[in-house]
Amino acid sequence: MTQEATAMRPWRFVVWFGVVSLLADFVYEGARSVTGPLLASLGASAAVVGAVTGAGEAAALLLRLGSGPLADRSGRFWGWAIAGYALTVASVPPLGSTGVLWAACALVIAERVGKAVRSPAKDTLLSHAAAATGLGKGFAVHEALDQVGALLGPLTVAGMLALTGDDYGPTLAVLAVPGVAVLALLVWLRRQVPDPAAYERAVAPKSEKLHPGARLPRDFWVYASFTAATMTGFATFGVLSFHLVARGLVPTAAVPLLYAAAMAVDALAALATGWLYDRVGARVLIVLPVLSAAVPALAFTDSLAPVVLGALVWGAATGVQESTLRAVVAALVAPGRRATAYGVFAAVVGVAAFAGGALTGVLYDISIPVLIAVVAAIQAAAVLLLAVTGFRSHRVRHR
């Protein structure tokens, strides 16, 4: 291992990088926990909430088509990561004080654009250390720490809403504090480990190093197709929270509490599936379409207990998406092309995310039973795709 990387062991790097995500999630998950009610308070319908949140997720994913290859070509992974985090933490604090629907929608999407800028570079940096710790476990521990922030943010927002009488201005303004901490910690971590790729070189010094123009492997495209299929039938929390408030099931201040509980389940699901992935391979991903199909059947009812359960199932599915799905990409693609692969993978999924957000929002306004049936059919197709593509789990085990 090079001298630059010896300042920090791989697991310690994974943990500190997880703290960066913890602080960032404190900021943007705090805001996302009330996106639905906030937009509704400015006059948005369920269809608008679904379209905006879906468009935000699509932007967070599709724009990685550009940021991924640029990160690979430039080699400036730290620079891309820091710039993306900066955009995100600058977009959230003013969100609560805009008072105009179009401006709030623009800030929601801008926050997601920041994620698009940073994510391929961030995932590549993390994958280098995770190669030394175990891909499934490394990404899972990072996601679990990430979700600590996803708990703290919504809980802080819930407390502020209760204290201020549902005033979104000061509630979201306080999120500037962890935002500043994100940038400070990133600068420090970069100085400690300027070349995280040394972690992976130490455990796999003869690993393939693809030229930035090389083609991505066939197994990667098969895997991206399955992921896109299951994401097309996945509801956004924006529509779920809209349902909670519109049907009078919970007060607005309670929505972030439910979101925080969902994030706790997210962390547990990430740890469980990450641990299983390192042992049994990608077959563990069969749980994703099953969970995704259960979400609308539970969450879009008029009884509080199944709605709460549906939100928790949504959290479990999100945990699988944010950890194990990303770990598989690192197993499929060599380091020299990995940021590009993360960008392409996210873009493919982004099309499905937009379709899922818009579809669930529109169908919610038309007929909830139809919404449940359509999502179930899409997830059944995803299971079938996984079964018939010949995607063999042993080919994506940790190398």
Side-chain angles (χ1 to χ4, degrees), residues 329-357:
V329 174
L332 286 168
V333 183
R337 191 71 163 139
R338 195 170 292 160
T340 298
Y342 275 119
V344 172
F345 177 74
V348 171
V349 177
V351 174
F354 176 74

Side-chain angles (χ1 to χ4, degrees), residues 151-210:
L151 282 168
L152 294 175
L155 290 174
T156 300
V157 167
M160 287 295 297
L161 286 173
L163 287 173
T164 63
D166 293 347
D167 188 341
Y168 291 108
T171 294
L172 297 184
V174 301
L175 299 179
V177 176
V180 172
V182 168
L183 301 180
L185 183 56
L186 274 170
V187 171
W188 173 80
L189 192 57
R190 183 188 183 281
R191 289 176 179 172
Q192 294 296 307
V193 189
D195 182 27
Y199 293 129
E200 188 163 359
R201 290 195 297 269
V203 297
K206 296 182 180 180
S207 62
E208 180 186 7
K209 298 186 181 304
L210 298 178

Side-chain angles (χ1 to χ4, degrees), residues 30 33-34 150-151 153-155 157-158 161 237 251-261:
S33 69
V34 291
L151 282 168
L155 290 174
V157 167
L161 286 173
F237 192 82
T252 301
V255 173
L257 299 178
L258 182 57
Y259 188 82

Side-chain angles (χ1 to χ4, degrees), residues 63-157:
L63 294 180
R64 298 183 210 186
L65 273 174
S67 62
L70 286 172
D72 270 338
R73 291 189 177 96
S74 68
R76 297 176 179 177
F77 299 105
W78 279 117
W80 282 92
I82 293 171
Y85 276 115
L87 178 57
T88 287
V89 301
S91 300
V92 169
L95 179 60
S97 57
T98 59
V100 180
L101 180 58
W102 70 264
C105 292
L107 287 170
V108 168
I109 294 173
E111 181 272 308
R112 297 283 84 191
V113 170
K115 189 173 181 67
V117 171
R118 71 176 180 266
S119 289
K122 181 203 75 172
D123 287 342
T124 300
L125 292 169
L126 176 62
S127 73
H128 294 317
T133 64
L135 285 172
K137 293 188 290 291
F139 275 87
V141 168
H142 178 272
E143 173 66 10
L145 287 167
D146 184 271
Q147 294 315 301
V148 174
L151 282 168
L152 294 175
L155 290 174
T156 300
V157 167

